[in-house]
Amino acid sequence: MAALAIDNISKTFDIDGRSVTALDSVSLDLAPGEFGALIGPSGCGKSTLLRMVADIVSPTSGHISVAGEAPRKARLAHHIGFVFQDATLLPWRTVSENIRLPLEVVGGRRAVDPAAIQALVELVGLAGFEHARPSQLSGGMQQRCAIARALVTSPQMLLLDEPFGALDEIMRFRMNLELLRIWAESRTTALMVTHSIEEAVLMADRIFVMAARPGRIVDEIKVDLPRPRRLSQIGEPDFVALVERARKSLFGDMVEMLQDA
Amino acid sequence: MLEMRRPGRGAGRALIRWLPPALVLLAALAGWEAAARLGWLPLTVARPSAVLRLLAAEYAGLLAELAPTLFAAAWGYLLALAVALALGSLAYLYKSLEGTVLTVGAVFNSIPIIAIAPVLIIWLGLSLSTRVAITAVVCFFPLLIAFVQGLNTRRATAAELFTVLAATPLQRFRLLALPGALPYLFMGMKITAPFALLGALVGEWTGAESGLGVVMLNAMFGLQVDRLWATVLLACVVSTAAYAYVCLLERLALPADLREGEAV
Ligand SMILES: Nc1ncnc2c1ncn2[C@@H]1O[C@H](COP(=O)(O)OP(=O)(O)OP(=O)(O)O)[C@@H](O)[C@H]1O
Ligand SMILES: [Mg+2]
């Protein structure tokens, strides 16, 4: 059974009485433990797609199932972890209090095992900052805290909406590899939105390339580079070829336009 | 390691902060004293030295009169706070109640306190409860508005986070809205702390056996200028102290970056 099955999803929004098609007949599947990347121009509906999987908004038509369950059921069963573009930490809570928030929601305070929280803190490299509050952390540290929070309930499905959008290149690559390490250890299925082609190739098993107006998937690229992934792979011919391939389908006709110019 | 850096430290910092206002105040008092001695001021304006002398001589009596006033102010304030917290929470949890709560609160607030006082007196008699009730009425609405606004502050992505977590409305209230509203609530509490004394004094002016307000009235009708000014000074000190006390509570409850409009 697919860990995530998105079947012929469409979504229209009403904006000032006009109906705008944000997504048109989008389908994709992820196998258990697979890492998928969504890449596409701004406004093509990547966030909307993720939010539908997490049951934050509902599709206009089509069907989604998360490990065989409807998104609502998966959400209520706490099978979904979501990392937002900005870390969205609660400013009055410390790092470890933020990480354990989902557990408090799931089962009250009794369910919280301090050792498990501490293990997660260490997993995301925040040891020594357990009692720091978000305002005392850098952007990258906040994002790592948010990732730990998304992992604390051991969700079957991890959704990441441009989690590293605000970071510089160096920090970003470091976080990419850290996230891959965490993902490999936790064996969840992951779907990540990104604006960076290299990030998508570095991290994903499969890349879904989207186009806008209406939002749709125009290409699917299988990334069969060996794991665990390393930064040194970035310069290798296989990697470069995949980046080129993704760039071509992402830019579409524009590639030829640019070559003609 | 995580400590925040601020310009100046410790005693030096306190000196820089407090010295200029203290000097301005002292200069103003000295000027006032001089003007009064030179006869430039009407007799109804007391000399600072005379006021201080009276305070020194009669402080025990005045403090005894202050006690019931403080009592009414404190209980009225706490009553208003409790009602505002309860109604604000209800309005948040049952959104359909919010309009009603805020409208009734606004109407309540628009009635001049001088108009409410006689009604309360007829209802509750010339008792301590009347003065507590008047104080509570004065303090209630600003507290309610601050709390409700704090609860409803837009936290769009945090709200989505709680949706993903499948939080119940009560969990959302307890874990997100309530802690998020605390800075706003403290803002309201700071603004209303001096109102509490105002309410207690007005309550005493409408009729009481003892209290700072009673001393004030008697001094006024008896043309005891020094005494009148001494009570005014006491009222100022108490108001400021109440404000400072709430600021202190806020400091203990909230870390610096969560305090709204950090002034001191
Ligand atoms: N709540 C909403 N109401 C109305 N329209 C919306 C809403 N959310 C999204 N849209 C529309 O849906 C389209 C896709 O938005 P979405 O946020 O999913 O894009 P995106 O691919 O994530 O873009 P970006 O890369 O800039 O984050 C946009 O045209 C947007 O205007
Ligand atoms: Mg987006």
Side-chain angles (χ1 to χ4, degrees):
Chain A
M1 184 174 49
L4 172 67
I6 298 177
D7 185 21
N8 217 8
I9 281 292
S10 296
K11 177 73 186 175
T12 53
F13 284 110
D14 268 339
I15 303 178
D16 293 336
R18 274 182 318 118
S19 118
V20 177
T21 304
L23 287 166
D24 185 31
S25 315
V26 171
S27 298
L28 72 83
D29 284 314
L30 288 180
E34 199 176 3
F35 198 119
L38 277 174
I39 190 163
S42 180
C44 72
K46 305 179 294 294
S47 299
T48 305
L49 190 59
L50 239 54
R51 288 146 58 94
M52 287 191 294
V53 175
D55 188 42
I56 299 171
V57 292
S58 47
T60 309
S61 68
H63 187 76
I64 299 177
S65 82
V66 181
E69 294 174 329
R72 168 140 316 161
K73 222 177 145 210
R75 174 171 69 84
L76 293 178
H78 309 283
H79 288 162
I80 294 173
F82 204 114
V83 180
F84 296 88
Q85 181 160 2
D86 48 349
T88 323
L89 302 175
L90 300 183
W92 51 86
R93 286 182 162 239
T94 65
V95 164
S96 51
E97 286 168 349
N98 264 292
I99 293 175
R100 73 163 196 234
L101 174 75
L103 294 182
E104 288 178 29
V105 173
V106 173
R109 264 164 209 280
R110 279 164 300 144
V112 180
D113 170 14
I117 303 292
Q118 189 56 34
L120 265 176
V121 166
E122 275 157 31
L123 188 67
V124 296
L126 286 176
F129 291 90
E130 295 85 349
H131 304 296
R133 279 178 310 99
S135 61
Q136 297 165 317
L137 302 178
S138 75
M141 293 161 89
Q142 292 183 21
Q143 204 54 266
R144 276 182 276 167
C145 180
I147 290 171
R149 180 183 61 192
L151 292 170
V152 73
T153 50
S154 315
Q156 296 169 2
M157 183 78 231
L158 185 60
L159 302 167
L160 306 114
D161 192 354
E162 291 182 52
F164 311 126
L167 305 184
D168 66 75
E169 284 271 289
I170 300 172
M171 189 59 179
R172 191 171 181 138
F173 281 131
R174 268 180 47 197
M175 292 289 301
N176 290 156
L177 295 179
E178 274 183 58
L179 178 59
L180 281 181
R181 183 172 53 77
I182 295 165
W183 163 76
E185 278 184 35
S186 61
R187 295 161 197 280
T188 62
T189 310
L191 183 58
M192 180 180 80
V193 170
T194 173
H195 273 294
S196 157
I197 299 174
E198 287 192 329
E199 183 171 272
V201 175
L202 180 66
M203 301 192 68
D205 296 310
R206 266 188 303 155
I207 303 171
F208 304 93
V209 183
M210 297 182 69
R213 283 156 213 257
R216 61 204 187 275
I217 293 180
V218 290
D219 198 7
E220 186 184 313
I221 300 168
K222 187 145 183 57
V223 183
D224 39 17
L225 300 173
R227 291 192 185 271
R229 304 269 166 88
R230 290 165 290 107
L231 272 189
S232 58
Q233 284 172 307
I234 288 178
E236 288 170 5
D238 289 355
F239 192 99
V240 175
L242 282 164
V243 169
E244 260 330 289
R245 160 93 203 278
R247 197 188 310 282
K248 279 219 177 76
S249 42
L250 184 61
F251 283 62
D253 303 337
M254 274 180 61
V255 173
E256 280 144 44
M257 275 167 52
L258 292 173
Q259 279 166 349
D260 290 347
Chain B
M1 171 181 56
L2 297 170
E3 198 189 16
M4 275 195 287
R5 252 168 296 161
R6 287 201 195 155
R9 276 179 180 281
R13 204 178 88 205
L15 197 65
I16 289 170
R17 184 184 285 166
W18 295 112
L19 196 58
L23 285 179
V24 170
L25 209 63
L26 275 180
L29 280 177
W32 180 354
E33 180 75 30
R37 276 174 196 264
L38 290 171
W40 292 353
L41 297 177
L43 281 177
T44 46
V45 178
R47 281 191 226 157
S49 60
V51 172
L52 286 178
R53 215 174 306 127
L54 184 134
L55 274 177
E58 297 189 23
Y59 75 93
L62 284 172
L63 285 186
E65 296 287 348
L66 186 58
T69 312
L70 280 183
F71 191 80
W75 280 109
Y77 185 77
L78 288 178
L79 179 65
L81 187 60
V83 176
L85 286 176
L87 285 184
S89 304
L90 273 181
Y92 177 86
L93 286 169
Y94 303 95
K95 274 279 174 286
S96 52
L97 290 181
E98 190 180 290
T100 318
V101 167
L102 289 182
T103 312
V104 171
V107 168
F108 226 136
N109 191 51
S110 67
I111 308 173
I113 186 63
I114 291 295
I116 293 188
V119 178
L120 286 171
I121 288 170
I122 289 177
W123 185 26
L124 297 168
L126 275 180
S127 61
L128 179 65
S129 4
T130 309
R131 276 165 269 144
V132 170
I134 291 174
T135 306
V137 168
V138 173
C139 296
F140 167 67
F141 193 63
L143 287 172
L144 177 74
I145 286 292
F147 185 47
V148 167
Q149 193 182 351
L151 287 175
N152 288 333
T153 305
R154 238 179 86 78
R155 303 176 183 92
T157 44
E160 289 195 352
L161 169 71
F162 275 73
T163 301
V164 173
L165 294 178
T168 63
L170 206 58
Q171 286 174 328
R172 213 179 267 263
F173 172 73
R174 186 167 57 81
L175 298 170
L176 179 61
L178 197 55
L182 274 189
Y184 294 80
L185 181 65
F186 271 113
M187 189 66 117
M189 285 169 66
K190 282 193 275 187
I191 292 171
T192 29
F195 289 8
L197 185 70
L198 175 72
L201 287 178
V202 170
E204 286 169 354
W205 289 349
T206 57
E209 283 101 49
S210 63
L212 196 64
V214 178
V215 179
M216 247 179 208
L217 281 191
N218 289 342
M220 185 179 83
F221 290 122
L223 278 178
Q224 298 164 297
V225 175
D226 292 347
R227 213 173 155 76
L228 182 60
W229 280 88
T231 58
V232 171
L233 182 63
L234 265 184
C236 289
V237 170
V238 169
S239 272
T240 312
Y243 177 83
Y245 181 64
V246 179
C247 287
L248 181 72
L249 287 183
E250 183 185 32
R251 263 165 191 270
L252 295 178
L254 299 178
D257 58 303
L258 294 181
R259 288 179 223 136
E260 288 277 319
E262 175 82 327
V264 196

